[in-house]
């Protein structure tokens, strides 16, 4: 096979461009200097301590966790209904309905956020954590549907029929057969929606009405050069947190497919 | 062949129709299946055999008509309370459970004690030759073993009817032939009515007491294997079951219980009316199975009739040789099979031969 040095170089450059900046986060988070620049000055944990002591940051983190937990729960439950319906049942208008559920995946988030803001304000609804949750559910549900559809699809229909045939009801069949077999998909959906919600910025900023939410808070802190290193420390923690969550989600998804005896048709990772 | 006529009726179909939207999947199914019978639904894919099986199980409702199981109308009986159990084509083994959890799944609501249930599971596993497999994970089983688990799981509830949806189609040839014999033995042992869906005519002939041959949502013929093979009711059935030579014929006269015909290459033949099933309005042809034709060697004499011919093709199978032979200087070609016994050489293409046949082996389709 012929070597292609240009392609090799391109690939390397591409990967460096993608991940280089992220690698800088931990480097400067441990750097003993207020200025984010080379050369490095020495090792310190001060920025992590400062981050942990920031009361506003804690409130923002708490709010973000509340939002992320609510969004991932609601999106996953909605996703279960939609995925089950699209895999198992035929009904008039199924294709356009499923298409519209998946549309926010490609719709510019800015437009969704603006449209929601206009509607909420004209309805006189106070902006709050709740309105952020509503907006983010809209964004996360398509991801949940995509993951859960693949989980339900890899479930052989005759398994449910076999359970009915052996005397179980539709409800006990769902509990004994369907739920255990799609549980890894449910977990994966929950975790991915959690991650998406946690670092979502546009809707949090538009619909959050200045409430401290982590992504918005971090952006705000960058105006103050002195705060930047502690934000980099926070970023380092979040990167680790995201990698662990997404890795776990993908592991659950693959395990689910293997368990149901299906074929892997490609996932998010 | 066991006679099944004196046994009580287990399943009865009365003018069963099934529509999927505009598609007419079952077109007036009538017939009865006897208790303790090994019954097969045989037909090409899309003929409605699986649909019919699923209506018995209760997975499909019927558009009109009546299905009775053991004297009870099943119209308002849901799948989970019918006295039937099914072995699925995919086996539908629950992948997140062990073998014994799979087999014991139907006993969840059984009031018996834990020990008694465990004994029942062990007995069911023993019956299908899987003694000691209880603790294994379901997904670690081979195809043949999965099928046995599916059988044990369905039989543990002692259903009145066991439904088998192409249970052998996923197995290789050797395993399939082995399981055919095992299924027959098992059916005799438990005495439960077995209903098998298959597209494999050989499998149906080997295993069944009676067979319903289905085409396009209708039962074309319901008979025991021998009748089906020797006296197919239609040309389509004859063509589907085994190999059949079709020879154009003209009907010369029909009087009383005799039909006289002139078959191309064979000449004039007088047939019994039993050899001529109900007319279907087609051009008359006579059907002849390959094994009812025999090549005559040297100065052998035909016991009944003989016709001259020329060998056009020789297909050697080891134990058998198939010959394609042009009959009596015509363009009618028939296939005949000869056992390769000592002193009977395999003949070459182009050899002039004499073919012995018997008028009683003919079936007239018209």
């Amino acid at each position: 096979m012929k070597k292609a040095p240009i392609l090799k170089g391109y690939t390397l450059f591409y990967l460096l461009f993608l991940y280089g900046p992220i690698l800088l986060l931990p480097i400067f988070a441990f750097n003993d200097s207020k200025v984010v620049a080379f050369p490095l000055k020495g090792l310190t944990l001060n920025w992590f301590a400062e981050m942990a002591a920031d009361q506003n940051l804690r409130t923002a983190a708490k709010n973000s966790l509340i939002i992320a937990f609510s969004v991932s729960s609601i999106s996953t439950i909605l996703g279960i209904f939609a995925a089950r319906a699209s895999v198992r049942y035929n009904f008039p208008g199924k294709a356009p309905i499923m298409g519209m559920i998946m549309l926010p995946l490609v719709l510019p988030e800015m437009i969704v956020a603006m449209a929601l803001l206009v509607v909420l304000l004209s309805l006189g609804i106070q902006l709050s954590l709740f309105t952020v949750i509503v907006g983010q559910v809209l964004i996360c549900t398509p991801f949940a549907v995509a993951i859960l559809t693949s989980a339900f699809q890899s479930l052989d229909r005759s398994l449910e029929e076999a359970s009915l045939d052996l005397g179980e009801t539709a409800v006990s069949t769902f509990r004994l057969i369907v739920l255990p077999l799609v549980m890894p998909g449910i977990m994966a959906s929950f975790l991915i929606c959690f991650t998406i919600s946690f670092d979502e910025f546009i809707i949090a900023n538009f619909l959050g009405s200045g409430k401290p939410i982590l992504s918005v808070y971090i952006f705000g802190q960058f105006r103050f050069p002195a705060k930047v290193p502690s934000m980099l420390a926070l970023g380092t923690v979040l990167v680790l947190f995201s990698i662990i969550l997404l890795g776990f989600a993908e592991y659950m998804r693959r395990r689910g497919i293997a368990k149901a005896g299906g074929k892997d048709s490609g996932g998010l990772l | 062949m066991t006679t099944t006529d004196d046994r009580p009726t287990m399943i009865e179909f009365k003018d069963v129709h099934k529509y999927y939207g505009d598609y007419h999947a079952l077109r007036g199914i009538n017939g009865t299946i006897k208790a303790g019978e090994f019954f097969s639904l045989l037909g090409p894919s899309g003929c409605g055999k699986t649909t019919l099986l699923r209506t018995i199980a209760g997975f499909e409702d019927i558009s009109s008509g009546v299905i009775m199981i053991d004297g009870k109308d099943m119209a308002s009986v849901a799948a989970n309370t019918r006295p039937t159990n099914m072995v699925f084509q995919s086996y539908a083994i629950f992948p997140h459970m062990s073998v014994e959890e799979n087999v014991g799944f139907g006993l969840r609501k059984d009031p018996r004690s834990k020990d008694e249930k465990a004994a029942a599971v062990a007995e069911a596993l023993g019956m299908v030759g899987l003694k000691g497999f209880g603790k294994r994970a379901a997904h670690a089983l081979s195809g043949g073993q999965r099928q046995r688990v599916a059988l044990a799981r369905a039989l543990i509830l002692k259903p009145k009817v066991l439904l088998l949806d192409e249970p052998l189609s996923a197995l290789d040839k050797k395993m399939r032939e082995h399981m055919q014999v095992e299924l027959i033995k098992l059916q005799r042992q438990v005495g439960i009515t077995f209903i098998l869906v298959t597209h494999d005519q050989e499998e149906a002939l080997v295993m069944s007491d009676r067979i319903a041959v289905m085409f396009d949502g209708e039962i074309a013929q319901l008979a025991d294997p021998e009748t089906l093979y020797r006296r197919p009711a239609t040309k389509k059935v004859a063509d589907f079951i085994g190999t059949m030579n079709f020879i154009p014929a003209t009907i010369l006269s029909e009087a009383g219980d005799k039909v006289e015909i002139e078959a191309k290459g064979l000449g004039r033949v007088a047939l019994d009316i039993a050899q001529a099933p109900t007319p279907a309005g087609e051009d008359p042809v006579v059907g002849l199975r390959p094994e009812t034709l025999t090549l005559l060697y040297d100065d052998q004499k035909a016991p009944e009739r003989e016709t001259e011919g020329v060998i056009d093709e020789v297909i050697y199978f080891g134990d058998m040789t198939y010959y394609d032979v042009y009959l009596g200087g015509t363009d009618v070609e028939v296939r005949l099979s000869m056992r390769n016994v000592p002193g009977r050489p395999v003949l070459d293409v182009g050899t002039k031969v004499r073919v012995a046949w018997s008028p009683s082996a003919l079936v007239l389709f018209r």
Side-chain angles (χ1 to χ4, degrees):
Chain A
M1 214 167 68
K2 223 177 122 185
K3 290 247 167 79
I6 295 174
L7 277 180
K8 219 175 187 176
Y10 165 75
T11 308
L12 271 174
F13 177 76
Y14 182 85
L15 289 174
L16 199 70
F17 186 77
L18 261 183
Y19 293 103
I22 295 175
L23 287 175
L24 290 179
L25 277 184
I27 292 175
F28 287 111
F30 289 105
N31 185 27
D32 192 6
S33 163
K34 278 195 191 307
V35 186
V36 179
F38 290 105
L40 300 174
K41 291 276 160 56
L43 199 66
T44 179
L45 290 173
N46 282 348
W47 306 124
F48 286 89
E50 191 177 299
M51 170 195 87
D54 186 340
Q55 194 53 51
N56 288 333
L57 181 104
R58 284 211 212 158
T59 313
K62 197 186 90 190
N63 284 343
S64 275
L65 284 173
I66 290 171
I67 293 172
F69 190 80
S70 310
V71 167
S72 47
S73 303
I74 297 169
S75 298
T76 300
I77 289 167
L78 292 177
I80 290 172
F81 291 143
R84 173 77 173 178
S86 94
V87 171
R88 182 51 44 86
Y89 303 104
N90 276 312
F91 44 90
K94 177 174 162 179
I97 287 170
M98 289 316 294
M100 286 206 285
I101 288 175
M102 301 307 280
L103 197 59
L105 212 55
V106 289
L107 221 54
E109 219 179 297
M110 187 77 86
I111 291 171
V112 176
M114 282 196 306
L116 274 172
L117 186 63
V118 169
V119 170
L120 288 170
L121 289 181
S122 66
L123 286 176
I125 293 171
Q126 282 285 311
L127 295 182
S128 62
L129 293 189
F130 174 72
T131 50
V132 177
I133 291 170
V134 169
Q136 289 189 350
V137 163
L138 201 67
I139 303 295
C140 285
T141 302
F143 287 94
V145 173
I147 294 162
L148 288 162
T149 299
S150 116
F152 277 108
Q153 253 164 2
S154 57
L155 190 68
D156 180 1
R157 186 177 185 161
S158 55
L159 292 175
E160 287 169 66
E161 287 179 343
S163 167
L164 285 176
D165 190 53
L166 293 165
E168 296 298 332
T169 62
V171 175
S172 59
T173 294
F174 193 81
R175 186 169 58 83
L176 292 167
I177 305 298
V178 177
L179 217 50
L181 289 175
V182 296
M183 188 48 86
I186 292 173
M187 294 291 292
S189 158
F190 184 89
L191 292 173
I192 283 169
C193 290
F194 193 95
T195 314
I196 293 169
S197 162
F198 198 70
D199 61 10
E200 200 281 335
F201 177 78
I202 299 172
I203 285 174
N205 196 27
F206 270 62
L207 304 182
S209 171
K211 287 255 172 355
I213 296 170
L214 207 54
S215 57
V216 181
Y217 180 77
I218 292 172
F219 182 74
Q221 292 303 297
F222 263 79
R223 277 175 300 172
F224 314 113
K227 289 282 189 180
V228 169
S230 70
M231 286 302 109
L232 294 182
L234 175 63
T236 305
V237 173
L238 291 182
V239 165
L240 262 175
F241 182 65
S242 295
I243 290 174
I244 291 168
L245 268 190
L246 279 175
F248 187 58
E250 177 63 12
Y251 167 76
M252 294 303 286
R253 195 192 66 83
R254 287 189 191 177
R255 206 180 66 147
I257 287 170
K259 223 173 156 187
K263 235 171 54 188
D264 197 343
S265 50
L268 287 171
L269 287 179
Chain B
M1 210 62 52
T2 50
T3 65
T4 54
D5 293 339
D6 51 338
R7 299 190 213 176
T9 297
M10 177 54 78
I11 295 184
E12 187 169 6
F13 301 107
K14 288 182 199 161
D15 201 29
V16 172
H17 287 265
K18 170 74 187 175
Y19 289 89
Y20 293 106
D22 289 338
Y23 181 62
H24 200 170
L26 296 176
R27 306 173 176 221
I29 301 294
N30 285 290
T32 57
I33 298 170
K34 305 282 177 188
E37 194 170 27
F38 200 128
F39 193 92
S40 288
L41 297 169
L42 171 67
S45 54
C47 73
K49 57 190 191 298
T50 297
T51 304
L52 188 57
L53 192 80
R54 290 170 58 82
T55 63
I56 302 172
F59 297 139
E60 308 277 353
D61 43 8
I62 53 178
S63 307
S64 67
V66 178
I67 296 176
M68 313 267 282
I69 301 180
D70 203 21
K72 276 201 244 354
D73 186 351
M74 287 291 127
S76 57
V77 183
N80 55 357
T81 50
R82 291 197 184 191
T84 60
N85 283 117
M86 183 133 152
V87 174
F88 290 82
Q89 186 168 15
S90 64
Y91 308 145
I93 303 297
F94 304 132
H96 56 308
M97 297 181 188
S98 69
V99 167
E100 62 186 5
E101 283 170 330
N102 264 282
V103 174
F105 190 81
L107 299 180
R108 269 176 27 89
K109 287 176 183 150
D110 195 307
R112 280 183 285 175
S113 76
K114 221 175 164 188
D115 287 348
E116 285 173 310
K117 287 189 197 178
V121 169
E123 191 199 326
L125 281 175
M127 198 161 61
V128 295
L130 283 183
K131 217 183 194 93
F133 277 69
K135 299 282 180 227
R136 295 233 188 147
H139 58 75
L141 298 175
S142 72
Q145 289 167 339
R146 292 163 89 87
Q147 199 212 18
R148 288 158 194 265
V149 172
L151 264 172
R153 189 178 66 179
L155 285 170
I156 200 167
L157 288 171
K158 308 216 184 316
K160 287 179 176 151
V161 182
L162 183 75
L163 307 169
L164 301 123
D165 185 8
E166 306 243 8
L168 306 177
S169 61
L171 304 178
D172 63 57
K173 191 168 182 284
K174 267 237 161 76
M175 190 69 197
R176 196 160 61 227
E177 283 167 3
H178 177 71
M179 281 309 292
Q180 284 175 2
V181 178
E182 288 220 355
L183 272 177
I184 298 169
K185 282 187 185 160
L186 189 66
Q187 196 262 342
R188 287 201 190 126
Q189 188 191 332
V190 296
I192 291 170
T193 309
F194 276 33
I195 305 180
L196 172 83
V197 158
T198 180
H199 64 269
D200 183 340
Q201 46 94 16
E202 213 175 284
E203 188 171 294
L205 291 178
V206 167
M207 298 175 76
S208 321
D209 294 323
R210 286 194 307 151
I211 301 168
V213 181
M214 293 183 68
F215 295 114
D216 303 320
E218 286 174 304
I219 294 179
Q221 189 172 6
L222 198 168
D224 63 89
E226 200 182 345
T227 307
L228 214 55
Y229 189 79
R230 292 190 49 211
R231 294 276 181 264
T234 68
K235 197 179 156 192
K236 216 170 167 184
V237 172
D239 206 19
F240 190 71
I241 310 268
T243 310
M244 181 76 103
N245 295 301
F246 294 106
I247 302 168
T250 43
I251 296 169
L252 300 174
S253 68
E254 188 170 345
D257 56 357
K258 289 282 172 215
V259 185
E260 193 169 21
I261 59 161
E262 163 97 37
K264 203 170 175 188
L266 294 178
R268 280 173 170 247
V269 201
L271 301 178
D272 192 277
I273 195 75
Q275 289 168 261
T278 321
E282 296 163 356
D283 289 337
V285 292
V286 286
L288 260 175
R289 296 285 183 196
E291 68 277 9
T292 65
L293 295 157
T294 317
L295 287 187
L296 295 170
Y297 283 77
D298 305 326
D299 50 359
Q300 275 181 313
K301 276 251 174 340
E304 292 178 71
R305 301 274 297 261
E306 69 171 72
T307 300
E308 306 220 311
V310 180
I311 295 175
D312 178 45
E313 194 69 70
V314 180
I315 305 143
Y316 180 74
F317 266 95
D319 60 335
M320 307 269 285
T321 305
Y322 285 146
Y323 295 96
D324 289 343
V325 177
Y326 283 119
L327 285 184
T330 67
D331 60 351
V332 173
E333 193 178 68
V334 293
R335 171 158 293 184
L336 61 86
S337 59
M338 295 292 288
R339 265 197 181 280
N340 290 331
V341 294
R344 187 186 279 173
V346 175
L347 300 176
D348 291 328
V349 172
T351 312
K352 285 197 168 142
V353 289
R354 291 177 298 132
V355 178
W357 54 278
S358 157
S360 63
L362 296 180
V363 188
L364 174 67
F365 303 105
R366 53 196 164 136

